[in-house]
Amino acid sequence: MVLIASYNIRKAIAADRRRRPERILDVLAEIGADVVLMQEADRRFGERHSAIPFHMLAEQGRYRAVPYDIRHGSIGWHGNAVLVSHAVEIVRHQPFHLPALEPRGAVLADLRVGGRDLRVVGMHLDLSGLVRRRQARAILAQLDEQTEALPTLLAGDLNEWTSGGCLRDFGGHHVPVPLGPSFHARRPVGRLDRMFVSRGVRVEASGVHSSMLTRTASDHLPVWARIAIG
């Protein structure tokens, strides 16, 4: 079994409007996932460095970041990052370029967990419904261009409040994972954080991780899925 989490960390800005990366790390320790797909993982302004300082990630000792190495000091690509535990092997990785009115992207990582290969895609889609659908189709097209087909899990903050839109695009190719409302963290009503899986991935359990800590660490709650590969 592999535990995957997806979490919009809001640049590590907590409910008190202060940047508290240590709270995000505490949340990740609380969940204990093997793989974490993060959104808003980089700061918005200036050098856009990682919202979680690399030395704090190293000191925690559980995770390492998939090294996209596109922007110095960034942990990912346009705020999308993938963290893996030391039991997970990073096989290959690449960024996805997306059509957008503002800088947006997605990230792919091919991983090996317990001798089995898994492809994960992390994403944070636009606020505009029309742009979201273009971005969803761009992600699916770039997945189709991969030289090797692998069992795949896609996850992230889709910014989709309805049951249609980009959900219909992803749902035409992948199976949606049952998840509950994850936004706003203090009183969640929106199902903005989503997961989808391809053939070859079996979801054993899934949900939203809600605790006293997660309700103050970000404006989103993390979502998770326990999966079997193959």
Side-chain angles (χ1 to χ4, degrees), residues 26-182:
D26 288 344
V27 168
L28 298 186
E30 197 174 77
I31 299 170
D34 301 291
V35 180
V36 182
L37 305 174
M38 294 196 305
Q39 303 87 50
E40 296 195 34
D42 290 328
R43 298 191 186 200
R44 184 177 180 86
F45 301 110
E47 297 293 330
R48 298 188 180 181
H49 286 171
S50 173
I52 301 176
F54 287 106
H55 73 87
M56 292 182 67
L57 191 63
E59 288 164 5
Q60 189 203 46
R62 179 177 177 87
Y63 293 106
R64 67 193 191 282
V66 173
Y68 293 96
D69 295 333
I70 298 171
R71 186 193 303 270
H72 177 73
S74 166
I75 200 171
W77 169 239
H78 287 314
N80 296 283
V82 181
L83 302 182
V84 298
S85 73
H86 293 284
V88 177
E89 179 186 350
I90 302 168
V91 178
R92 61 179 291 271
H93 51 80
Q94 74 175 82
F96 282 175
H97 297 265
L98 301 182
L101 300 175
E102 59 177 311
R104 294 277 181 176
V107 290
L108 173 149
D110 289 347
L111 310 172
R112 187 162 294 134
V113 192
R116 295 184 179 273
D117 290 339
L118 174 69
R119 174 168 291 149
V120 297
V121 176
M123 53 192 163
H124 187 189
L125 302 190
D126 204 89
L127 296 174
S128 161
L130 290 175
V131 177
R132 280 198 300 274
R133 297 205 69 178
R134 292 205 300 270
Q135 291 172 342
R137 292 164 184 168
I139 289 169
L140 293 169
Q142 289 175 79
L143 274 176
D144 285 342
E145 292 168 359
Q146 302 301 308
T147 56
E148 181 183 8
L150 294 177
T152 300
L153 180 145
L154 303 95
D157 177 1
L158 303 194
N159 273 315
E160 184 63 73
W161 288 85
T162 72
S163 59
C166 67
L167 302 182
R168 188 174 296 120
D169 296 305
F170 287 118
H173 301 75
H174 300 80
V175 177
V177 176
L179 299 168
S182 56

Side-chain angles (χ1 to χ4, degrees), residues 195-209:
M195 290 184 171
F196 297 85
V197 295
S198 73
R199 185 176 302 174
V201 178
R202 185 174 71 254
V203 178
E204 300 291 343
S206 58
V208 179
H209 184 79

